[in-house]
Amino acid sequence: MQKNLADGLEQAYSLNNEIRILDENLPEPAASFDVQEFSDQGIIFDEDGVVVTAFPVNHGELIKPAVGYRIDYAGVSVVISGDTTYDERLAEIARGTDLLIHEVLAFGDDVLQQVPTAEQIAAHHTTPEEAGQIFRLASPKLAAYTHLVTRGVTIEEIITRTRTQYDGPLISGEDMMSFSITRDGVQVNPQ
């Protein structure tokens, strides 16, 4: 996140944050950002054994920077795609990772016909079939969908479409879902 964006959000929500801090006894840091800007790909955080590496992804010709992240700690790893189209660089960075969290977009045919910008929006994201190809190339212990855009299709349809390219472990993320990752595997912790 860029510092100027974070500053703008803090300003826009300042009254809301003040109320929540007083009314809900939230600590002030819970309503603020600690932005660490970076301008290059590569290691952007390395502390206490946690290494975060940023890498470029393709979110469209005009949408730059666009990055994904790989987090490594104690012999386990997570890769987060960020917003991206099909990008084999992501599969290479994620090869053999424990958990690959990837965005997906799927529109029903009626949406493509009714929403004038649907094709332009879709061109900036990954289809279920393309994500399946990335998952197949990367071979993660678990693939998980996030940032699901599902206009006119169901999650089940997205999974079915993904399965045309990938038959490994796959789930659809849900709000507040978490994961426990050990050298023995990945455990899904529903909310």
Side-chain angles (χ1 to χ4, degrees), residues 59-60 62-63 85 105 107 112 115-125:
H59 191 30
L62 301 176
I63 305 173
T85 60
L105 178 140
F107 287 148
L112 288 172
V115 179
T117 59
E119 285 188 33
Q120 182 182 3
I121 293 166
H124 292 13
H125 296 278

Side-chain angles (χ1 to χ4, degrees), residues 162-173:
T162 305
R163 291 284 182 218
T164 66
Q165 301 295 318
Y166 174 70
D167 63 0
L170 172 65
I171 63 164
S172 175

Side-chain angles (χ1 to χ4, degrees), residues 37-101:
E37 288 189 348
F38 59 93
S39 60
D40 220 355
Q41 63 189 23
I43 295 173
I44 60 170
F45 182 87
D46 187 350
E47 193 172 304
D48 297 328
V50 177
V51 178
V52 179
T53 305
F55 57 91
V57 295
N58 182 6
H59 191 30
E61 185 178 330
L62 301 176
I63 305 173
K64 297 186 188 305
V67 297
Y69 301 94
R70 179 180 172 115
I71 301 110
D72 291 280
Y73 177 72
V76 298
S77 59
V78 176
V79 172
I80 304 168
S81 72
D83 280 353
T84 186
T85 60
Y86 178 82
D87 193 333
E88 287 188 12
R89 295 175 296 182
L90 192 147
E92 180 63 32
I93 288 167
R95 187 161 286 127
T97 193
D98 294 282
L99 176 61
L100 173 50
I101 302 172

Side-chain angles (χ1 to χ4, degrees), residues 118-152:
E119 285 188 33
Q120 182 182 3
I121 293 166
H124 292 13
H125 296 278
T126 310
T127 68
E129 294 83 2
E130 292 169 336
Q133 291 172 9
I134 295 294
F135 296 153
R136 187 179 70 244
L137 291 170
S139 298
K141 288 183 182 173
L142 178 63
Y145 275 134
T146 189
H147 189 12
L148 292 119
V149 179
T150 59
R151 299 269 318 260

Side-chain angles (χ1 to χ4, degrees), residues 24-37:
E24 299 172 20
N25 294 318
L26 292 178
E28 284 191 39
S32 65
F33 297 102
D34 180 12
V35 177
Q36 304 294 319
E37 288 189 348

